[in-house]
Amino acid sequence: MPIISPEVALLSVGILLLLTVLAGTLSSRFGLPALIGFLALGMLAGVDGPGGISFEDYLLTQGISVACLIFILFSGGLDTEWRDVRRVAAPALLLATVGVLLSAAIVGGAAMLILGFGPFQGFLLGAVVASTDAAAVFAILRSSDMKLNADARALIEVESGSNDPMAIFLVGAALLFLATPGTSALSLGADFVLQMAAGGIIGAVAGWLMAEILKRSPYVHGGLAFVISVASVLIAYGCAQIVGGNGFLAAYVAGLMAGNRDYTARPIVATFQDGLAWLAQVAMFLTLGLLITPSNLTHVIGPGLAITFILMLVARPLSVFLCLWPFRQFGWRAKLFISWAGLRGAVPIVLATFPIVAGVPGAFAIFNIVFFVVLLSSLIQGPTMNWLARRLGMVPAEDPQTVPAPQ
């Protein structure tokens, strides 16, 4: 294996990052989510593309993606108004827990019928693709001037930022049942409550401490304020994971708490974290793109199409309509749009590496199907969100600036 000098390696990384941003911008010009461009460049640089880079380290990819996701979630929390959270807390909580479980169960049942998977293997696939992706949702909603109904917009954002912990828990539960079939479901329920409670509390404390440090310290406009914000994210995630909590929830809650406190450095910290979140998206999708071998996807086109359309047209709408049934402020139009806005992105691909690392039979087939689902979701749902919002009357039709192309 040829040894690459540090200079060449750093130059290559810099060029790849720059090309990835340009690819994302180009894809946005065609009305596609930027993640398509990020993934496409990664695949072009990979083993099946002209770049010819052979990269098959799933464990490293998992580590990079986890690090990137916590900053994306933290930035999403920073930009979320607490009054929006309070207004949609109950429906968002239902969608982020019961909704994810329903989607996982429906897709799992379909996988058993279509792919011949066993119950736990099918549920594993369902759990992997069950959550919406915060990075994709934030990127589309916040980079456009879409004047959505305030409750619908807040619900979509809060749900996408808070439903990853449930999907991660369900994936872990499915892996545990596959490894140890006699595991008690009751013990898993108690573990879920502990994870959510510990993650939420630690995240709130970390976000509060970050705001207090920046409020009472001389690091008001200097670069050290950025260092403190990065440290807060890492501490929130690390502490939560060590005590058995959910680190992803802790990162999101830390951002939510810090973003709704009053301190002088808040605007510059939010701007810095927004840039860091975009860098995280670029790095994460580029790495995931390198990991994909496009020639392997030809074997899963049929199953991938079936699972994608069951997820988009059955599982997601059914879970949304059932979970939002008690909440009268969401009419059928809002529910339909919320169903369609459930984009899949990096999180399902990252979760699909877990079965491979755990050595689950059929894990590579699950990984390829999941990537196919994410790709189709981005290509179909992403570009049509603005069109559907207009058709459903979710935005003022007379405003020509209302719906620019998603970024």
Side-chain angles (χ1 to χ4, degrees):
M1 180 178 179
I3 298 176
I4 301 176
S5 69
E7 295 83 2
V8 173
L10 291 173
L11 175 63
S12 302
V13 170
I15 292 173
L16 272 177
L17 287 176
L18 182 58
L19 289 175
T20 305
V21 174
L22 295 176
T25 304
L26 182 62
S27 66
S28 297
R29 289 182 181 274
F30 290 96
L32 299 172
L35 69 88
I36 293 295
F38 301 160
L39 283 171
L41 186 66
M43 288 189 288
L44 287 173
V47 67
D48 274 0
I53 299 174
S54 179
F55 181 73
E56 297 180 347
D57 195 329
Y58 290 87
L59 189 58
L60 176 61
T61 300
Q62 195 178 102
I64 292 172
S65 300
V66 166
C68 292
L69 279 172
I70 63 176
F71 285 101
I72 292 168
L73 290 169
F74 181 78
S75 176
L78 275 178
D79 292 337
T80 301
E81 295 287 343
W82 179 245
R83 63 175 177 268
D84 292 338
V85 175
R86 284 186 301 182
R87 197 170 61 247
V88 299
L93 180 63
L94 270 179
L95 277 179
T97 52
V98 178
V100 171
L101 179 61
L102 286 173
S103 292
I106 293 169
V107 174
M112 291 172 61
L113 293 174
I114 297 170
L115 304 175
F117 282 2
F120 295 129
Q121 194 180 26
F123 186 75
L124 175 61
L125 174 59
V128 166
V129 299
S131 70
T132 61
D133 188 74
V137 171
F138 290 154
I140 288 182
L141 290 182
R142 294 183 178 180
S143 60
S144 70
D145 296 324
M146 195 190 304
K147 302 298 189 296
L148 279 176
N149 170 277
D151 284 351
R153 184 187 183 97
L155 177 60
I156 292 167
E157 290 195 355
V158 174
E159 181 215 357
S160 68
S162 58
N163 63 11
D164 294 338
M166 183 64 173
I168 293 166
F169 172 78
L170 293 177
V171 169
L175 291 174
L176 184 60
F177 278 119
L178 283 167
T180 314
T183 302
S184 169
L186 290 177
S187 65
L188 287 177
D191 186 51
F192 173 74
V193 173
L194 173 63
Q195 284 188 30
M196 298 302 109
I201 292 170
I202 291 173
V205 171
W208 182 85
L209 285 175
M210 171 186 149
E212 286 298 305
I213 292 171
L214 292 176
K215 183 188 296 184
R216 302 173 186 276
S217 70
Y219 315 124
V220 177
H221 298 295
L224 288 176
F226 304 153
V227 177
I228 291 170
S229 70
V230 171
S232 300
V233 182
L234 298 177
I235 289 170
Y237 177 83
C239 285
Q241 290 292 119
I242 287 172
V243 303
N246 191 286
F248 294 100
L249 181 62
Y252 179 71
V253 172
L256 187 62
M257 177 64 73
N260 286 275
R261 300 291 307 283
D262 187 23
Y263 50 96
T264 307
R266 187 176 69 173
I268 62 170
V269 167
T271 301
F272 167 75
Q273 286 291 340
D274 182 62
L276 191 57
W278 273 106
L279 175 61
Q281 286 190 60
V282 170
M284 178 171 58
F285 285 115
L286 177 61
T287 305
L288 292 171
L290 283 171
L291 194 64
I292 300 298
T293 305
S295 58
N296 291 338
L297 298 180
T298 58
H299 307 297
V300 297
I301 291 177
L305 283 170
I307 295 298
T308 300
F309 288 114
I310 287 169
L311 178 63
M312 289 196 306
L313 303 179
V314 181
R316 171 69 179 176
L318 189 58
S319 63
V320 167
F321 274 79
L322 286 176
C323 289
L324 296 186
W325 176 75
F327 304 99
R328 301 305 179 189
Q329 71 265 40
F330 299 105
W332 71 268
R333 296 174 187 271
K335 292 172 186 173
L336 189 60
F337 181 77
I338 291 167
S339 300
W340 194 249
L343 274 76
R344 268 62 188 175
V347 173
I349 303 176
V350 175
L351 291 179
T353 64
F354 284 48
I356 294 175
V357 174
V360 172
F364 286 97
I366 291 176
F367 182 85
N368 289 325
I369 290 171
V370 168
F371 180 79
F372 197 88
V373 169
V374 170
L375 195 62
L376 278 187
S377 172
S378 300
L379 289 172
I380 297 173
Q381 291 174 282
T384 55
M385 277 180 61
N386 292 331
W387 172 83
L388 184 63
R390 290 197 303 269
R391 295 289 296 177
L392 293 174
M394 300 290 291
V395 295
E398 68 275 7
D399 184 358
Q401 301 299 318
T402 297
V403 257
Q407 302 297 314

